[in-house]
Amino acid sequence: MVFPPEREAAYVQRMFGWQGTRLRRLVLFAPVFFLIFIVIQALLMPAPLIDWLRAPLTWAGIVLLGAIGLWMRTVRSADLFAWAGVALQTLFLVFCALSTRPGHGGLALLLPMFVATPLVTAPFWARARTVFIAIVFAYLAGALALWHSAAGSTVWLAYGIQAVVGGVIAMAMHATVDNARRGYFLAEEELEQRARLDALTSVLNRRHFIESGEAMLLRMRPGEVLSACFVDLDHFKRVNDEGGHRVGDQLLAAVAHCLLELQGENRLIGRVGGEEFALLLPGMHAQEAERFIATVCERIGALAVDGYSCTASVGVAEWDGSETLSDLLHRADLALLAAKRGGRNRIVQWSAGVAA
Ligand SMILES: Nc1nc2c(ncn2[C@@H]2O[C@H](COP(=O)(O)OP(=O)(O)OP(=O)(O)O)[C@@H](O)[C@H]2O)c(=O)[nH]1
């Protein structure tokens, strides 16, 4: 399953989000695992543990792996974390390989067996290419261990077979799990999308319009402007009563389509009531919003379903730079009431007089 690049990135980041906390804890175990490997070797081989602990290689490994592990705890990007994980895992295996004493082929084989499935960070949530490189590097490190321990040809043959079979199995496991997760991710995205949109008109539903609008106001910087519009269709009850609800539905959908066609970047359009729509227009003063919405109203007036058409009344209010979304929409709503009172099919800008 191949996603477009931006969805692929979102998917990898989401997977990392799910597993990030556990992985951040896990990477700290790299120096500990290395120490355990040293202790196992010391127990199995005649050299005393103190000899191993005196070796500069042991301390270089512990310090370097510890430092990378600590740094990785601060990484937020999923891709960077995956590559750092590959580097950490490879270095861990290289240090294990280099600390393997010559003449002990059996012990050296432990390492490649140990790494049959890449350890430490096991970036199975990452992109397939990263996982593939992690597996190849893991087996190369295993080969280094064999070479270092001067293993015989039988051991090399066994390792070669294991590397090919293990590598293929690891990639197949990754592909299977990844495919299932991608399917789940797509289904979840679709559900989220459905929960955000109004079923009839495909504009934002009321809840998401309010949530997104509040988030938009929080992102506004000093000096930035924004206007809100409340659009209410005039005498819509008549359309339903005379043409039937199906015609009413089709006309509502056509109006929403008209609004969506004019949806510029960052503009928010929501259905906030039966035949009421609200718009948030960042970067527009009230006058600009009024001009913009006049074009929209003209297009709405030109719509017709089975000979039925409608006009719209609109209230416009400009954000004062500090008020809440609820207050801003309330002022736009008061302006809308004034438009209705004034005879409908018109746009009214909020002013102190409108509230009276
Ligand atoms: N077909 C259809 N009609 C809806 C929907 N939601 C609300 N309505 C109708 O919209 C109409 C709104 O009626 P009113 O609130 O009286 O408003 P109006 O007739 O547009 O009159 P004014 O707003 O005062 O101009 C009602 O008949 C509702 O049934 C919908 O999803 N589909």
Side-chain angles (χ1 to χ4, degrees):
M1 200 179 291
V2 180
F3 290 169
E6 68 285 356
R7 291 184 87 195
E8 175 81 27
Y11 163 75
V12 171
Q13 196 68 38
R14 168 88 65 93
M15 289 303 141
F16 177 58
W18 281 355
Q19 301 184 14
T21 313
R22 189 176 60 84
L23 290 169
R24 285 201 177 84
R25 242 179 268 134
L26 206 59
V27 289
L28 288 183
F29 281 98
V32 180
F33 286 152
F34 177 52
L35 201 57
I36 291 173
F37 188 74
I38 295 284
V39 172
I40 292 172
Q41 290 204 77
L43 287 176
L44 293 177
M45 293 189 70
L49 179 61
I50 194 74
D51 275 9
W52 300 81
L53 292 182
R54 279 205 194 109
L57 184 76
T58 305
W59 291 105
I62 290 173
V63 170
L64 191 61
L65 295 174
I68 295 176
L70 279 176
W71 169 72
M72 282 177 75
R73 288 171 66 81
T74 65
V75 173
R76 294 278 162 260
S77 150
D79 279 325
L80 183 58
F81 193 92
W83 285 116
V86 172
L88 181 74
Q89 172 190 284
T90 307
L91 279 174
F92 166 77
L93 295 171
V94 165
F95 276 113
C96 290
L98 293 179
S99 70
T100 302
R101 295 279 163 106
H104 204 300
L107 181 62
L109 193 60
L110 266 185
L111 176 64
M113 308 242 325
F114 197 38
V115 302
T117 305
L119 326 158
V120 192
T121 54
F124 271 87
W125 46 273
R127 294 165 205 259
R129 189 189 44 193
T130 320
V131 175
F132 177 73
I133 290 174
I135 292 170
V136 169
F137 279 12
Y139 282 106
L140 285 179
L144 180 64
L146 284 194
W147 174 75
H148 216 247
S149 66
S153 56
T154 324
V155 174
W156 274 101
L157 182 66
Y159 178 71
I161 293 170
Q162 192 224 334
V164 172
V165 176
V168 169
I169 290 176
M171 268 325 279
M173 271 169 56
H174 168 73
T176 311
V177 174
D178 193 49
N179 220 32
R181 274 189 326 217
R182 278 165 191 260
Y184 179 76
F185 178 76
L186 283 182
E188 201 187 52
E189 259 197 342
E190 198 181 316
L191 274 181
E192 271 177 20
Q193 179 81 343
R194 280 196 197 174
R196 264 200 301 269
L197 300 184
D198 173 61
L200 175 67
T201 60
S202 296
V203 298
L204 293 181
N205 62 29
R206 185 186 174 89
R207 185 163 66 90
H208 271 275
F209 175 79
I210 300 287
E211 281 176 11
S212 309
E214 282 170 348
M216 181 182 272
L217 287 194
L218 283 179
R219 285 197 305 271
M220 295 287 283
R221 296 202 197 93
E224 287 184 332
V225 293
L226 173 145
S227 291
C229 301
F230 241 119
V231 180
D232 187 293
L233 303 182
D234 299 326
H235 299 304
F236 198 71
K237 190 171 180 317
R238 238 185 257 162
V239 176
N240 277 328
D241 290 350
E242 293 171 17
H245 279 80
R246 192 176 63 175
V247 170
D249 281 355
Q250 287 170 350
L251 196 53
L252 269 177
V255 167
H257 184 72
C258 196
L259 292 171
L260 283 172
E261 269 185 350
L262 296 164
Q263 185 175 31
E265 211 181 319
N266 293 332
R267 288 176 194 157
L268 285 186
I269 300 174
R271 185 178 177 197
V272 292
E275 22 71 270
E276 272 179 9
F277 297 90
L279 286 82
L280 286 184
L281 307 169
M284 285 195 197
H285 286 289
Q287 285 82 358
E288 293 166 82
E290 198 176 326
R291 276 197 296 275
F292 169 77
I293 210 72
T295 320
V296 177
C297 287
E298 226 170 83
R299 293 178 68 164
I300 291 175
L303 294 171
V305 175
D306 284 358
Y308 290 92
S309 56
C310 64
T311 56
S313 300
V314 186
V316 179
E318 183 173 330
W319 186 50
D320 73 359
S322 62
E323 69 190 329
T324 62
L325 180 70
S326 166
D327 288 343
L328 172 65
L329 290 178
H330 178 60
R331 287 195 297 117
D333 194 24
L334 290 177
L336 169 65
L337 286 178
K340 290 277 182 188
R341 275 199 305 262
R344 295 177 173 80
N345 191 18
R346 68 196 58 216
I347 303 166
V348 171
Q349 224 185 87
W350 184 88
S351 65
V354 152

